[in-house]
């Protein structure tokens, strides 16, 4: 099981382009050096480069631009020493598919499908004329060339991919001639997801356990709940605190769709340097070397943010983070107002009856899918929930049949809704699709969390 989880406890499976250098552009009738910026957004399946904002270096009119104006080529470069997913699977003797893994060269470089193009400002907003053009490209859970993350089966971490683009013209536009016109000068990345967040570092006594974290603060005054979100295995590390919120759409905790339930809530998403499941004896042994550091970070954040309502401190996490969530409410049974572990990976066999009694002190809503083969529910959440219910604990359990696309945008070859791995049950969580009938009334998960207090 340890190898299985190490291979596959992934939170998000796509990739992201940081600042990639380019070479000089050759352009006829262009007054200054053209360039482009990538736009990375986060979708149900993870982060993807969805757009390019291109500075043409000369003004053009909206009537001159359409989706057939440009040809876009990308070369996705993995970090030094990283294996492609196919190489990793071969090395690990595994047979895992995440849907968008790079299996050969065509998944690392090639032409992307342009779905729209229009004159815009430097931030991608449509204009009637100007020097900037925004190019939108096809994205989806199996569109590998747009992927922004690579999951390395050796390190079990996701890492941002450097995506180098080359943009050429299929036809003349205004004064700009298509012949020998090439744009490959990357001026960086636009990440609208992170605009609402700030990034910090908490120094713990043992520097090896210090934690980077992303933070969101509500804009309205008054007391507000605090939500702590603990990432999955793929978002660990110590060099990219944006991963815990961008690896799989956890940025939605700062969006109005979730914030509305709380009247505004503080959110912190810490990043473990390795894995929350890094135990003192072995991986996932029921302990975590980060437990004390995480608790000190939470207490320090509450102390330095006096508008945090100490009666409403909520903790949740997925997979590896779900493991840590259960561990924290077990070891600090009187601190948290509520918990929402998702596809949690703390084996039921590691929980004593005393542990179950301790966990029962915190109202908890568990979430899992029956199709999860990474953390089989029958070995983890199902027996744990049964034991909690047996002693009358305030527990709810959303046990989904599977995880499918609800947008209608992505389909299987037979035309039915695209189905994600059962482990990716965080998708309906972020999309506010989790609810249960409580006392004869359908109650949403976040509505319920907002109602809990100490």
């Amino acid at each position: 099981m340890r190898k299985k989880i190490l291979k596959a406890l992934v939170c998000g499976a796509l990739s992201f382009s940081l600042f990639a250098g380019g070479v000089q552009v050759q352009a006829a009738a262009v007054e200054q050096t053209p360039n482009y910026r990538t736009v990375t957004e986060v979708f149900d399946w993870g982060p993807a480069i969805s757009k390019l904002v291109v500075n043409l270096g000369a003004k053009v009119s909206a009537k001159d631009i359409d989706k057939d104006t440009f040809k876009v080529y990308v070369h996705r470069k993995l970090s030094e020493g990283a294996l492609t997913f196919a190489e990793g699977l071969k090395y690990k003797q595994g047979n895992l598919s995440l849907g968008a893994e790079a299996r050969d060269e065509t998944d690392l470089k090639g032409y992307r499908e342009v779905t729209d193009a229009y004159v815009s400002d430097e931030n991608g907003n449509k204009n009637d004329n100007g020097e900037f053009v925004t190019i939108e490209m096809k994205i989806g859970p199996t569109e590998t060339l747009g992927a922004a993350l690579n999951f390395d089966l050796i390190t079990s971490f996701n890492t941002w991919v450097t995506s180098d683009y080359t943009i050429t013209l299929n036809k003349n536009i205004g004064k700009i001639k298509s012949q020998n016109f090439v744009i490959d000068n990357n001026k960086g990345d636009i990440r609208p997801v992170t605009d609402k967040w700030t990034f910090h570092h908490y120094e713990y006594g043992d520097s090896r356990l210090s934690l980077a974290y992303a933070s969101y603060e509500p804009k309205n005054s008054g007391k507000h709940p605090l939500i702590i979100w603990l990432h999955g295995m793929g978002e660990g590390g110590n060099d990219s605190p944006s991963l815990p919120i961008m690896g799989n759409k956890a940025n939605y905790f700062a969006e109005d769709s979730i914030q509305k339930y709380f009247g505004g809530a503080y959110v912190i998403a810490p990043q473990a340097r390795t894995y929350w499941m890094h135990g003192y004896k072995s991986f996932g042994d029921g302990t975590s070397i980060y437990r004390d550091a995480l608790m000190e970070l939470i207490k320090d954040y509450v102390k330095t943010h006096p508008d945090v309502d100490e009666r409403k401190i909520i903790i949740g996490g997925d997979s590896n983070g779900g493991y840590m969530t259960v561990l924290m409410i077990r070891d600090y049974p009187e601190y948290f107002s509520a918990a929402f572990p998702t596809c949690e990976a703390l084996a039921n066999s590691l929980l004593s009856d005393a542990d179950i009694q301790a966990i029962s002190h915190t109202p908890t809503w568990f979430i899992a899918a029956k199709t999860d083969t990474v953390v089989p529910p029958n070995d983890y959440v199902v027996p744990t929930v049964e034991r909690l219910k047996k002693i009358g604990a305030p527990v709810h359990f959303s046990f989904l049949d599977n995880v499918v696309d609800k947008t209608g945008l992505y389909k299987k070859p037979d035309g039915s809704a695209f189905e994600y791995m059962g482990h990716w049950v965080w998708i309906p969580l972020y999309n506010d699709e989790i609810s249960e009938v409580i006392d004869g009334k359908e109650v949403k998960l976040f509505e319920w969390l907002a109602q809990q207090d100490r």
Side-chain angles (χ1 to χ4, degrees):
M1 175 54 64
R2 177 180 181 277
K3 287 185 178 179
K4 190 174 189 181
I5 296 177
L6 277 171
K7 286 179 185 177
L9 227 55
V10 187
C11 291
L14 302 180
S15 41
F16 173 53
S17 167
L18 285 178
F19 301 81
V23 298
Q24 289 296 318
V25 170
Q26 302 174 4
V30 175
E31 300 167 1
Q32 53 185 291
T33 303
N35 57 70
Y36 72 89
R37 289 192 295 166
T38 52
V39 178
T40 301
E41 299 180 278
V42 183
F43 303 91
D44 281 354
W45 64 87
I49 296 174
S50 58
K51 304 173 186 176
L52 302 176
V53 179
V54 183
N55 184 348
L56 294 173
K59 287 187 176 181
V60 295
S61 173
K63 64 181 177 60
D64 296 325
I65 304 296
D66 58 41
K67 72 180 184 65
D68 298 318
T69 302
F70 301 96
K71 186 178 291 185
V72 176
Y73 184 86
V74 64
H75 185 185
R76 300 173 63 237
K77 297 178 181 177
L78 308 183
S79 58
E80 185 176 355
L83 299 179
T84 67
F85 213 97
E87 291 169 336
L89 290 175
K90 184 176 180 180
Y91 180 87
K92 289 282 190 174
Q93 304 293 310
N95 187 32
L96 172 69
S97 173
L98 293 177
E101 61 268 20
R103 293 191 175 276
D104 54 45
E105 283 295 299
T106 62
D107 292 322
L108 294 176
K109 53 188 177 182
Y111 286 96
R112 293 196 61 186
E113 181 180 336
V114 176
T115 58
D116 198 5
Y118 45 86
V119 178
S120 70
D121 62 17
E122 61 183 341
N123 296 313
N125 302 304
K126 287 186 177 181
N127 273 345
D128 292 331
N129 57 72
E131 296 184 0
F132 292 92
V133 168
T134 293
I135 301 172
E136 297 185 359
M137 298 166 291
K138 185 178 181 180
I139 54 171
T142 60
E143 292 295 323
T144 312
L145 290 177
L149 290 175
N150 176 65
F151 182 69
D152 192 321
L153 282 178
I154 304 304
T155 65
S156 296
F157 290 150
N158 281 312
T159 55
W160 297 119
V161 172
T162 299
S163 293
D164 291 334
Y165 282 84
T166 302
I167 303 149
T168 54
L169 291 175
N170 288 322
K171 60 184 179 181
N172 300 336
I173 49 174
K175 295 180 180 180
I176 304 175
K177 307 302 180 184
S178 61
Q179 186 178 10
N180 298 323
F181 184 81
V182 178
I183 298 177
D184 55 7
N185 183 18
N186 189 340
K187 288 296 185 179
D189 190 68
I190 300 170
R191 298 191 298 176
V193 164
T194 64
D195 288 348
K196 296 182 179 182
W197 298 78
T198 56
F199 301 95
H200 314 270
H201 196 91
Y202 179 72
E203 293 291 341
Y204 186 64
D206 185 340
S207 61
R208 295 171 299 177
L209 303 179
S210 297
L211 302 170
Y213 65 97
S215 172
Y216 169 80
E217 298 181 14
K219 301 301 182 286
N220 52 326
S221 60
K223 290 287 188 178
H224 297 285
L226 169 63
I227 300 171
I228 301 109
W229 179 252
L230 305 177
H231 62 78
M233 177 172 289
E235 286 68 61
N238 61 1
D239 60 351
S240 190
S242 61
L243 267 175
I245 61 167
M246 292 187 69
N248 58 12
K249 208 169 143 177
N251 61 287
Y252 262 54
F253 289 116
E255 298 301 314
D256 291 343
S257 59
I258 293 177
Q259 287 283 314
K260 67 182 180 182
Y261 290 105
F262 303 93
Y266 290 87
V267 186
I268 57 173
Q271 183 181 37
R273 286 174 172 257
T274 53
Y275 325 109
W276 299 119
M277 297 175 73
H278 189 152
Y280 283 100
K281 294 182 180 180
S282 61
F283 177 83
D285 64 2
T287 69
S288 174
I289 63 172
Y290 297 104
R291 185 198 65 175
D292 295 343
L294 175 59
M295 195 62 190
E296 290 303 312
L297 163 60
I298 295 169
K299 289 181 176 179
D300 182 76
Y301 190 89
V302 172
K303 180 179 179 181
T304 55
H305 294 78
D307 279 345
V308 168
D309 187 344
E310 295 187 47
R311 299 177 302 111
K312 290 182 174 291
I313 299 178
I314 302 160
I315 191 167
D318 65 75
S319 192
N320 163 71
Y323 169 98
M324 193 66 174
T325 300
V326 177
L327 188 153
M328 293 297 282
I329 62 174
R330 180 197 70 186
D331 293 354
Y332 302 97
E334 304 296 336
Y335 189 81
F336 300 99
S337 63
F340 57 116
T342 305
C343 51
E344 62 94 357
L346 180 53
N348 176 68
S349 60
L350 296 175
L351 294 170
S352 67
D353 289 342
D355 292 335
I356 292 294
Q357 285 289 343
I359 292 169
S360 72
H361 287 268
T362 304
T364 303
W365 192 315
F366 292 86
I367 307 156
K370 297 173 184 176
T371 51
D372 188 347
T373 58
V374 177
V375 182
N378 288 335
D379 295 329
Y380 292 83
V381 64
V382 169
T384 297
V385 168
E386 289 175 350
R387 293 169 70 190
L388 286 166
K389 287 184 174 180
K390 189 174 182 179
I391 63 172
V395 60
H396 297 280
F397 182 29
S398 292
F399 199 18
L400 309 183
D401 290 332
N402 55 10
V403 180
V404 298
D405 173 64
K406 297 290 184 66
T407 68
L409 297 174
Y410 312 111
K411 306 285 187 181
K412 293 180 182 178
D414 64 4
S416 60
F418 183 86
E419 184 170 352
Y420 295 97
M421 294 176 62
H423 192 57
W424 291 15
V425 75
W426 52 77
I427 292 176
L429 167 69
Y430 298 137
N431 289 336
D432 192 24
E433 296 168 1
I434 303 299
S435 66
E436 295 288 331
V437 175
I438 302 175
D439 296 329
K441 177 186 175 183
E442 184 173 3
V443 179
K444 291 287 191 79
L445 166 67
F446 293 109
E447 177 185 3
W448 179 83
L449 290 172
Q451 294 169 353
Q452 309 306 311
D453 58 39
R454 283 295 181 192

